[in-house]
Amino acid sequence: MALCGLLACPSRRWRAPLSTVDAGRPSGSWPPRGPSPDAGVPFRVPTVRIPPGDETPCSTDADCRPGQCFTPELEARYSAMFRDCADGALWRERHRLGTCVRPECRADADCPPSERCADQQMLPFPQRVCVPAQCRGDGECRAHGRGLCTHYLRGRRCEHGGWACAYPSDECYPPDPFRRCAAPRGMIAWCVPRQGRFRCVVEAPPPP
């Protein structure tokens, strides 16, 4: 997956207007582009701000530097999340194939104080944006002893990743790769922050 170089990305901060679009419902000014990705998916409010699409045409990533081209191959990698996840569905609705996808942030300084700039792997769509973060430094993680402000790439399915305080006494501990969650056969276990601690959440796998 192509990622723009950190030093080459422009520092831009996107602020969404208050509208029905930001509440997760497409308004009349945002007609769907191509097949509707949320057909048959229960309505859910997106958990992050979804940027509008860039109309710059492209055929390869070289046409979008800094950024990448939204190609059919890139769409295929995220097809399940575009279909099943509110954030992914709305992102797909706002972006046309054959146009550029540019990062909306490149560093935490580009985001509001309560947010941080997500790694692209933390999101159900191929673009870096600001996401809510529970902490920015280890000094904020002392509620249950000395903790670490650690990143996690994913929440449960369709939940974005981010940053949260992790403590050695947590049920699972992202800084330690050997302290993962065990899942019964046929299930998936996620190590996610819940009520200020990292805990194991078990659920059935997504439909094919």
Side-chain angles (χ1 to χ4, degrees):
M1 184 179 300
L3 293 173
C4 67
L6 292 179
L7 296 179
C9 294
S11 176
R12 298 189 299 156
R13 187 182 299 176
W14 179 75
R15 292 291 179 269
L18 295 176
S19 69
T20 54
V21 171
D22 298 304
R25 298 179 183 275
S27 70
S29 61
W30 290 90
R33 296 169 175 168
S36 174
D38 55 355
V41 177
F43 172 76
R44 286 169 289 181
V45 177
T47 60
V48 296
R49 291 187 300 272
I50 308 298
D54 185 318
E55 293 299 321
T56 305
C58 62
S59 57
T60 68
D61 291 342
D63 300 326
C64 301
R65 292 175 180 165
Q68 59 187 330
C69 186
F70 186 33
T71 61
E73 293 76 17
L74 184 58
E75 181 187 39
R77 294 182 207 170
Y78 289 84
S79 60
M81 288 177 278
F82 290 159
R83 179 194 67 201
D84 298 335
C85 304
D87 289 347
L90 185 55
W91 189 95
R92 177 62 185 91
E93 182 180 298
R94 294 185 179 183
H95 292 76
R96 289 191 302 111
L97 287 172
T99 58
C100 290
V101 178
R102 305 187 192 278
E104 289 297 311
C105 62
R106 65 170 185 169
D108 294 344
D110 300 331
C111 302
S114 61
E115 299 181 359
R116 297 179 68 169
C117 187
D119 183 284
Q120 191 168 303
Q121 297 178 71
M122 293 178 175
L123 297 160
F125 49 81
Q127 187 175 22
R128 294 187 72 184
V129 301
C130 297
V131 299
Q134 297 181 20
C135 59
R136 282 179 173 258
D138 296 344
E140 301 173 44
C141 301
R142 296 178 179 174
H144 305 283
R146 186 176 295 246
L148 296 175
C149 181
T150 187
H151 76 280
Y152 58 101
L153 293 181
R154 294 175 182 83
R156 296 167 56 200
R157 179 169 170 78
C158 291
E159 292 181 358
H160 62 76
W163 290 261
C165 293
Y167 300 92
S169 57
D170 287 354
E171 184 178 359
C172 53
Y173 193 56
D176 185 346
F178 297 101
R179 290 190 51 194
R180 298 178 178 176
C181 298
R185 182 183 294 272
M187 304 293 281
I188 298 175
W190 308 93
C191 181
V192 292
R194 291 291 187 271
Q195 291 83 47
R197 309 297 291 269
F198 272 90
R199 308 176 191 273
C200 293
V201 175
V202 176
E203 65 182 9

